[in-house]
Amino acid sequence: MGLKIDSDVGRFRKIVRGKVRDELKRFMSRGEMIGRKGRDLVSIPLPRIDLPRFVHDPGGQQHVGQGDGKEGDVLAPAGGQDGGTGQAGNMPGEHILEVELTLDELAEIMGEELGLPRIEPRGRKNIEEASNRYTGISTTGPESLRHFKRTYRQALRRQIATGTYDPDRPVVVPIREDRRYRTFRRVPQPRANAVILYVMDVSGSMGDEQKEIVRIASFWIDTWLQSQYRGLETVFVIHDAEAREVDRDTFFRTRESGGTVISSAYRTCLQVIAERFPPEDWNLYLFQFSDGDNWSQGDTETCIELLRERLLPQLNLFAYGQVESPYGSGQFLRDLEQPFGEDERVVLHPIDGKEGIPDAIRAFLSTGR
Amino acid sequence: MTVSLPRELAELQVRVEKVARSYGLTFFPVVFEVVDYAQMNQLAAYTGFPVRYPHWRFGMEMEQISKSYEYGLSKIYEMVINNDPTYAYLLEGNSLLDQKLVMAHVYGHADFFRNNVYFSHTNRKMVDATANHATRVRRYQDRHGVETVERFIDDCLAIEDLIDHQAAFRANYGLQDARGDADADDESGDGRLPAEEYLDPFVNPPEVLERERRQRDEAREARRRFPPDPQRDVLGFLLHHAPLDAWQRDVLGIIRSESYYFLPQRQTKIMNEGWASYWHTKMLTGHLLEDGEVIDYADHHSGTTATHPGRLNPYKLGIELFRDIEFRWNTGRFGREWEECDDMAERARWNRPTGLGREKIFEVRRLHCDLTFLDEFLTADFCAQHKLFTFARDRRRDAWVIASREFEQIKQALLFQLTNGGTPIIDVVDANFGNRGELLLRHTHAGVDLKLDWAHEVLAALARIWRRPVHLETIVGGKPKRLGHDGSQTTEQEIKEVAS
């Protein structure tokens, strides 16, 4: 249910996120509340903005309390406002979970952590389009938007209230204050103008651990790109000897057992792009994960050919992550390095187990393309 | 949001009100509304009102209150507004016992609002007023932009405490006349008394004449000063004299009138909660409780009046002090004979039944605010019995430490917290400082320095309102200083003494 106060809450959140009124950030404190959720203690972040006032210095004051204890007993640590002792707090030694981090905040943290540049969109610069929607009534506005009925009603109400309305001669004359206008809000229409194509090799050599790595890496990539583009589309393509487009769920779960023909995936991508995402309107990203074992050298040739001639001209970025598999790493990474090592549209990076994920992500996304 | 009260609650209200009247409580009509938790949280964030002007800080309060509710940390049971009729809210889904307790408590507050003198000047149609304020501020936002209006409100809020805490007792509430002694300037003579020439040096000693002349000059200078007397109501002064646009003046006026409206609630927190708790106890235990409800009631009541070492619970302090007063007046423990008796045994036995207790607490609730309440009725016995102590920051140990259990110390600390609402005393002393139209404020230092970084920020806000440099004379670390803001940067200089 909508509450009147919702707009104040929204405004406050915007200020806290630094979207408006940047100067108020100085007065912000990151407080927290310790709550309980089941058996866990949770820390609930509580940003506050305290507008400064003339107040007494709290440290220089005597306060009054109630309870046991003798003079000189310590009530509580002072919180080290002016250079505390550097000791750890004496909070209960239970495990405290953080809650309530939105994906936007997550992406922001990740961006800071990995030092990722913001992405410069190519093609059409306007990522968002806005349309106007008439949402309310206001006392000011252009005459062309005057709401005749509301204005009339207001005038009638005023005349009745002031006793100037005569039912026998029902003439209602609006004055300046009676006028009501339609107001509109600009409603951003997210234009999905970025699409990520995830390509994963699901052949027999990719084990569950490899898929887990792909899942984690693609989650973070997804999160980052989501924060950069409104309305991001994702396409998932899996392949063994043959490729097909699947939904997210299938993408992460399928385990096939055939051989590996990478060019089949590229063909599928090309088809998807041609059908649904013309590159002049879309920022296209292709992330490919594989253990690097391709069926034949001949197919690898085909892949390089396809990439160079048809895929790369359409893509913002082509990233290839080679996941180390139980059967050792394949050849594909090296095969690509030679023709594309210098191409700035191409990022090639090995992922050595889970620890390698951040490095790979940084490599993939730090191009800012 | 107006839902008529369910029948069982409506019947309950009739019973509770009857009991309240039987004890002599008087009040404006009390209207209860049942609201769900989201509405209750909104009301709490709006300090009890259904509507306030748009501002982010209400959103901030809402976030805190609703998060705290969602994680089960706190729950608002009761809310009541000083208004005629007196509106109070009940949380939907509370047990009947809770509603009963809240109703009884609300009647205590309603009686306090109606009868305590500090509330006598408050606007009893404040529910309408806040709605009007909201409409006006929205209109200004439409016309001048959300951010422009919001920035100005922020500046006003930085100084919203700078009002006159004694305003309710001034003859001309809010507005003071200039000193009306127009003849005082027409002093043609030099103050010389007639005397024979040989006696003249003795009747009119030159050094005395010189001193008197200086005093006359100073007095004339003071009459020319503007404002002629220091002005405690800084908001009121700015409202009349700051160079503001019409809408800004209106917004400042709105903030000032709301600030004055809320002032008595800040001044009587301990008494008000004490009084309401006293009466909910009396009414429930004496009349309204069913047998099966006693345990739950006791649990709830003890939660409300629980004490924590680092915090003073106004409910607890208030109710105990009212009970103490009632007891003392019932047993004749007042007056000169009692005060002068220092035989501990006799004091402990003292009982001269007067039956004046009930009458006395009604008088106390009419005439006092927290400051005078504690000044008058806090006793050494009470402090010892209720284990009060003072605590302060120990810098060496970097901790809050119990400082003293001495009665005088406790009382002094309490009174300091309550004087001027615990906020620093600040006056406008000169609106033409340095003959350059700059504003000079004075902080009356009462032993504790100002929080300096904040003081500088407030001065910056004031400079935006005054549109000229603004100064504040205060004492920092024992040295008189003049802090200021000239519109672009902070200034600070040492001075000989703080302006008189």
Side-chain angles (χ1 to χ4, degrees):
Chain A
M1 190 194 63
L3 290 171
K4 286 187 200 95
I5 205 163
D6 287 346
S7 60
D8 291 337
V9 174
R11 183 79 185 160
F12 173 64
R13 285 191 186 148
K14 266 190 192 164
I15 293 172
V16 168
R17 304 241 163 92
K19 290 199 171 130
V20 288
R21 303 290 311 279
D22 212 23
E23 80 280 4
L24 285 176
K25 275 217 140 171
R26 297 182 285 155
F27 306 134
M28 197 166 96
S29 56
R30 285 225 164 254
E32 62 168 7
M33 238 171 359
I34 306 296
R36 202 170 266 283
K37 216 176 190 184
R39 274 182 307 155
D40 291 318
L41 288 180
V42 292
S43 152
I44 306 145
L46 266 189
R48 267 199 83 82
I49 297 171
D50 284 305
L51 286 174
R53 289 147 194 264
F54 287 128
V55 292
H56 292 122
D57 183 1
Q61 234 175 310
Q62 294 247 322
H63 305 264
V64 178
Q66 191 171 16
D68 293 317
K70 59 181 190 303
E71 289 172 18
D73 282 3
V74 172
L75 283 179
Q81 276 172 4
D82 41 16
T85 51
Q87 285 175 346
N90 63 344
M91 289 303 300
E94 293 173 64
H95 184 57
I96 293 182
L97 301 170
E98 279 282 345
V99 293
E100 286 196 47
L101 207 55
T102 62
L103 277 181
D104 267 352
E105 285 167 329
L106 203 60
E108 195 182 317
I109 293 166
M110 168 173 140
E112 279 167 20
E113 202 59 38
L114 298 179
L116 299 179
R118 296 198 75 83
I119 288 172
E120 290 268 344
R122 68 163 196 184
R124 297 198 181 166
K125 286 286 181 193
N126 52 335
I127 293 177
E128 259 175 31
E129 283 180 352
S131 72
N132 297 333
R133 193 180 297 161
Y134 293 97
T135 51
I137 296 293
S138 153
T139 53
T140 48
E143 290 304 313
S144 55
L145 289 182
R146 193 166 72 209
H147 195 308
F148 185 79
K149 201 166 158 186
R150 292 283 192 116
T151 304
Y152 171 79
R153 217 155 63 190
Q154 201 63 31
L156 182 63
R157 185 186 294 170
R158 177 181 50 77
Q159 291 204 354
I160 290 171
T162 55
T164 52
Y165 178 73
D166 177 5
D168 299 329
R169 199 173 158 276
V171 178
V172 174
V173 184
I175 60 171
R176 176 78 192 79
E177 278 70 33
D178 296 330
R179 293 194 193 159
R180 292 293 179 272
Y181 303 88
R182 290 178 179 83
T183 55
F184 54 83
R185 219 175 46 196
R186 289 180 78 75
V187 184
Q189 300 279 319
R191 256 190 67 93
N193 71 341
V195 56
I196 314 179
L197 302 133
Y198 292 102
V199 173
M200 177 162 57
D201 176 359
V202 289
S203 61
S205 55
M206 288 283 284
D208 282 344
E209 199 189 329
Q210 282 69 43
K211 285 202 199 107
E212 176 71 8
I213 288 168
V214 172
R215 194 185 69 83
I216 294 170
S218 54
F219 167 79
W220 286 103
I221 290 164
D222 215 35
T223 304
W224 175 249
L225 292 176
Q226 291 277 10
S227 76
Q228 303 286 313
Y229 293 103
R230 291 188 69 91
L232 184 72
E233 299 260 338
T234 41
V235 173
F236 297 94
V237 175
I238 54 175
H239 72 93
D240 45 14
E242 272 177 25
R244 61 193 166 107
E245 191 187 341
V246 295
D247 60 27
R248 175 184 286 265
D249 210 38
T250 322
F251 181 77
F252 291 123
R253 285 223 224 119
T254 312
R255 178 163 186 177
E256 311 275 324
S257 54
T260 316
V261 180
I262 296 178
S263 64
S264 66
Y266 290 170
R267 291 215 167 82
T268 308
C269 288
L270 279 169
Q271 197 185 340
V272 169
I273 292 169
E275 279 170 14
R276 283 155 41 202
F277 306 106
E280 52 273 20
D281 287 342
W282 293 83
N283 291 286
L284 297 162
Y285 294 84
L286 195 139
F287 288 90
Q288 186 190 356
F289 302 95
S290 164
D291 60 1
D293 274 330
N294 204 1
W295 177 253
S296 68
Q297 199 58 33
D299 188 60
T300 303
E301 299 287 324
T302 319
C303 285
I304 292 170
E305 172 91 15
L306 277 174
L307 265 176
R308 184 187 293 135
E309 301 301 328
R310 300 190 47 198
L311 268 173
L312 278 181
Q314 308 189 32
L315 295 178
N316 277 33
L317 183 72
F318 169 75
Y320 173 69
Q322 184 157 303
V323 189
E324 197 160 311
S325 82
Y327 314 107
S329 279
Q331 185 68 28
F332 198 61
L333 186 71
R334 255 165 286 155
D335 291 338
L336 291 181
E337 231 161 45
Q338 214 209 339
F340 301 117
E342 302 292 311
D343 194 323
E344 59 173 14
R345 290 168 299 182
V346 178
V347 184
L348 308 167
H349 206 276
I351 307 176
D352 312 326
K354 280 187 187 169
E355 292 73 31
I357 294 174
D359 277 342
I361 292 174
R362 191 184 290 126
F364 291 158
L365 297 177
S366 61
T367 56
R369 289 175 64 87
Chain B
M1 145 163 164
T2 321
V3 187
S4 69
L5 218 50
R7 215 179 93 209
E8 49 177 10
L9 291 178
E11 284 168 7
L12 185 60
Q13 185 185 354
V14 173
R15 280 176 63 204
V16 176
E17 185 162 326
K18 206 168 145 205
V19 175
R21 283 195 201 283
S22 75
Y23 279 111
L25 300 185
T26 54
F27 31 80
F28 298 116
V30 178
V31 178
F32 284 100
E33 280 178 23
V34 178
V35 297
D36 66 26
Y37 82 94
Q39 290 168 327
M40 187 63 120
N41 291 345
Q42 170 178 294
L43 284 161
Y46 279 153
T47 61
F49 289 93
V51 192
R52 294 294 293 277
Y53 57 82
H55 191 261
W56 55 262
R57 82 177 188 289
F58 300 122
M60 174 171 81
E61 295 303 333
M62 182 70 179
E63 287 257 281
Q64 312 236 318
I65 293 167
S66 43
K67 273 187 187 168
S68 159
Y69 176 85
E70 280 155 21
Y71 287 92
L73 296 173
S74 73
K75 181 171 166 184
I76 294 158
Y77 277 95
E78 156 252 336
M79 187 121 38
V80 51
I81 320 179
N82 164 33
N83 193 72
D84 176 13
T86 302
Y87 286 103
Y89 306 100
L90 300 170
L91 186 60
E92 183 184 71
N94 267 356
S95 72
L96 200 60
L97 167 69
D98 283 343
Q99 309 292 31
K100 204 185 275 187
L101 179 61
V102 168
M103 281 187 180
H105 193 85
V106 162
Y107 277 100
H109 281 309
D111 172 77
F112 198 90
F113 289 147
R114 168 102 192 234
N115 293 295
N116 181 277
V117 288
Y118 286 81
F119 286 89
S120 55
H121 285 283
T122 52
N123 183 356
R124 308 289 194 178
K125 295 288 173 203
M126 199 60 181
V127 171
D128 304 342
T130 52
N132 286 335
H133 294 168
T135 309
R136 267 140 68 193
V137 172
R138 286 221 161 79
R139 194 184 306 151
Y140 299 139
Q141 283 193 340
D142 282 350
R143 200 158 293 177
H144 305 283
V146 171
E147 192 150 328
T148 314
V149 175
E150 188 182 80
R151 274 176 202 277
F152 184 73
I153 291 176
D154 286 355
D155 286 343
C156 293
L157 289 176
I159 53 170
E160 81 173 326
D161 295 336
L162 304 185
I163 54 175
D164 185 353
H165 285 229
Q166 272 84 45
F169 305 103
R170 301 225 193 275
N172 38 8
Y173 178 50
L175 271 179
Q176 289 184 24
D177 287 341
R179 220 182 268 169
D181 191 0
D183 293 336
D185 274 348
D186 297 338
E187 284 181 54
S188 37
D190 58 0
R192 200 176 269 275
L193 296 172
E196 296 294 333
E197 193 177 340
Y198 70 96
L199 277 177
D200 192 64
F202 302 99
V203 175
N204 296 308
E207 65 272 18
V208 172
L209 284 180
E210 175 62 20
R211 196 172 66 223
E212 286 175 348
R213 193 185 59 74
R214 246 198 344 264
Q215 281 170 353
R216 275 198 307 277
D217 286 353
E218 276 172 18
R220 192 178 305 125
E221 202 50 41
R223 277 193 298 280
R224 280 183 197 149
R225 198 158 69 186
F226 183 73
D229 296 309
Q231 296 281 311
R232 182 68 48 85
D233 183 0
V234 179
L235 282 184
F237 184 83
L238 293 172
L239 190 62
H240 292 291
H241 304 293
L244 298 170
D245 296 340
W247 70 268
Q248 290 177 320
R249 208 174 291 286
D250 191 31
V251 169
L252 184 62
I254 285 171
I255 292 192
R256 176 168 173 265
S257 72
E258 294 192 359
S259 196
Y260 269 117
Y261 170 82
F262 288 114
L263 178 63
Q265 292 179 33
R266 282 160 54 201
Q267 287 173 310
T268 60
K269 178 83 178 156
I270 296 169
M271 286 183 76
N272 210 336
E273 293 302 356
W275 185 251
S277 301
Y278 176 93
W279 285 110
H280 81 228
T281 317
K282 272 263 178 291
M283 289 160 71
L284 263 78
T285 55
H287 303 267
L288 298 166
L289 278 184
E290 311 287 332
D291 296 349
E293 294 174 335
V294 173
I295 303 286
D296 285 336
Y297 162 75
D299 183 43
H300 194 138
H301 177 77
S302 59
T304 314
T305 52
T307 60
H308 306 276
R311 211 159 52 87
L312 208 54
N313 183 342
Y315 293 78
K316 177 70 175 171
L317 185 60
I319 188 175
E320 294 299 348
L321 212 44
F322 271 118
R323 283 175 176 165
D324 190 52
I325 295 167
E326 188 177 25
F327 170 74
R328 283 172 57 205
W329 258 258
N330 271 336
T331 54
R333 294 172 190 227
F334 61 96
R336 185 158 172 194
E337 214 179 323
W338 163 257
E339 296 298 335
E340 284 176 356
C341 174
D342 47 14
D343 179 347
M344 294 309 276
E346 196 183 333
R347 279 174 80 94
R349 277 199 311 273
W350 196 287
N351 190 9
R352 301 179 183 176
T354 61
L356 290 174
R358 185 58 59 75
E359 194 185 320
K360 184 65 185 176
I361 57 171
F362 270 89
E363 176 198 303
V364 170
R365 80 92 165 74
R366 173 179 289 281
L367 296 178
H368 287 272
C369 68
D370 286 347
L371 181 67
T372 59
F373 183 57
L374 290 167
D375 191 21
E376 186 85 19
F377 300 109
L378 190 73
T379 63
D381 293 341
F382 184 90
C383 286
Q385 195 188 337
H386 291 281
K387 299 178 177 172
L388 299 186
F389 57 78
T390 66
F391 64 96
R393 177 100 158 257
D394 182 336
R395 286 188 191 278
R396 200 169 40 80
R397 286 198 272 172
D398 193 38
W400 295 99
V401 172
I402 296 181
S404 169
R405 284 189 179 274
E406 292 284 321
F407 169 61
E408 285 304 326
Q409 296 273 329
I410 295 165
K411 186 166 167 182
Q412 208 187 348
L414 272 173
L415 296 187
F416 182 81
Q417 274 177 26
L418 295 168
T419 302
N420 208 44
T423 58
I425 296 176
I426 294 193
D427 297 277
V428 176
V429 289
D430 195 351
N432 188 26
F433 179 65
N435 203 18
R436 290 191 297 261
E438 300 177 6
L439 189 69
L440 177 65
L441 306 179
R442 176 191 64 194
H443 168 221
T444 305
H445 196 275
V448 180
D449 286 1
L450 295 177
K451 187 165 151 44
L452 272 187
D453 49 343
W454 275 25
H456 279 298
E457 296 287 352
V458 179
L459 286 168
L462 262 167
R464 287 191 288 273
I465 294 171
W466 189 246
R467 296 186 193 176
R468 291 282 302 149
V470 171
H471 309 274
L472 172 75
E473 297 195 348
T474 180
I475 293 172
V476 181
K479 291 202 185 86
K481 278 199 175 160
R482 188 184 300 132
L483 317 175
H485 200 278
D486 65 6
S488 57
Q489 59 181 349
T490 294
T491 58
E492 185 171 334
Q493 66 182 109
E494 292 199 8
I495 49 175
K496 278 214 262 325
E497 57 176 354
V498 171
S500 58

